[in-house]
Amino acid sequence: MELLTAALPVGATVFVAIVGYFQWRRSERRQVENETARQELEHTERRRIARGPYDQQRLEALQELLDKLRELEIQSRWNAGGQDLRAEVPKINTFLIKHGEVLEDEERRLAQQFLEGLTWIDHREAEERRRWEEQREQEFSEHGADIGSYESSWERTGPLPPPERVDEAHQAVQKWTSARDALEERLRKALQGM
């Protein structure tokens, strides 16, 4: 019994010492983890602050690019083939070159894809207008009848264009709209990153 009385306080002391040691180790490990996390946060914050002007320039360039492309799309819709929009391509290309340091290669590629699709459709529309005007002149000179302006031809029914032309037009629309959608998504992500 004397042995038990002497061993019990020693055992309790050793047990408390072991528990204390493990708590101290866990506390030290948490402190190291907290310090590492704090350093990572500071590093991320310093990097964010340093990237601030770049991110702002990139955001502004993306917004301006999309504004220019949207204006071109609106012009194309109002234009109905009256003016060749391919003349606008060098202006967009100049913008892409001037903002090359903040726009990514993929964004430049998407802008080119947008232009290719939109100008293809615009060029086709100009060809259709030219053909209609030639047919109008021919009808007037041969029969004295005016078949109306190109815009009036839209309400008339007639044979559909060959399937390959419809497919080409569909591909051009897909090219331009998918590029626009992808650029808008990149702008949204850039805005979220600010």
Side-chain angles (χ1 to χ4, degrees):
M1 184 81 142
E2 244 176 73
L3 182 62
L4 185 61
T5 309
L8 197 53
V10 171
T13 303
V14 170
F15 177 74
V16 169
I18 290 172
V19 169
Y21 172 74
F22 283 121
Q23 285 181 342
W24 172 78
R25 276 191 47 189
R26 191 175 338 140
S27 172
E28 286 293 314
R29 192 176 21 219
R30 264 197 225 126
Q31 195 172 11
V32 168
E33 289 172 359
N34 288 343
E35 182 62 23
T36 303
R38 186 188 61 74
Q39 288 174 353
E40 287 175 4
L41 282 173
E42 285 178 358
H43 180 69
T44 302
E45 182 64 16
R46 281 194 304 268
R47 198 170 10 163
R48 188 188 65 76
I49 290 169
R51 284 187 51 99
Y54 170 82
D55 288 344
Q56 185 63 36
Q57 287 176 342
R58 177 173 158 62
L59 179 64
E60 289 170 2
L62 272 172
Q63 284 177 321
E64 190 174 346
L65 174 62
L66 271 165
D67 288 345
K68 287 178 180 296
L69 294 177
R70 285 181 187 128
E71 284 299 318
L72 197 58
E73 182 177 352
I74 290 167
Q75 185 179 348
S76 171
R77 290 173 187 251
W78 280 99
N79 186 23
Q83 172 191 358
D84 190 357
L85 293 181
R86 290 178 293 179
E88 299 297 317
V89 172
K91 294 175 186 174
I92 300 293
N93 286 337
T94 300
F95 177 85
L96 293 173
I97 291 168
K98 285 182 178 180
H99 295 88
E101 71 277 357
V102 292
L103 292 174
E104 296 175 2
D105 290 341
E106 180 65 8
E107 291 154 354
R108 288 190 291 276
R109 187 194 65 73
L110 287 168
Q112 292 299 328
Q113 179 181 323
F114 178 96
L115 291 171
E116 287 170 11
L118 187 65
T119 56
W120 185 91
I121 288 187
D122 189 68
H123 182 68
R124 283 289 177 218
E125 189 66 27
E127 285 178 7
E128 290 294 322
R129 178 183 290 277
R130 185 185 46 75
R131 275 195 220 114
W132 180 265
E133 292 302 325
E134 288 173 359
Q135 183 181 357
R136 183 180 184 187
E137 288 177 22
Q138 183 181 2
E139 288 288 326
F140 191 73
S141 66
E142 290 177 5
H143 305 291
D146 186 4
I147 59 174
S149 68
Y150 175 67
E151 288 76 11
S152 70
S153 72
W154 297 343
E155 55 194 45
R156 296 182 184 181
T157 59
L160 291 173
E164 59 274 0
R165 281 219 13 226
V166 173
D167 288 343
E168 287 175 347
H170 178 70
Q171 288 174 357
V173 168
Q174 285 296 105
K175 200 179 221 186
W176 135 49
T177 57
S178 66
R180 182 192 59 219
D181 293 346
L183 283 168
E184 287 172 348
E185 180 61 26
R186 285 176 165 267
L187 177 60
R188 274 191 291 283
K189 286 182 178 177
L191 284 168
Q192 290 170 353
M194 291 300 291

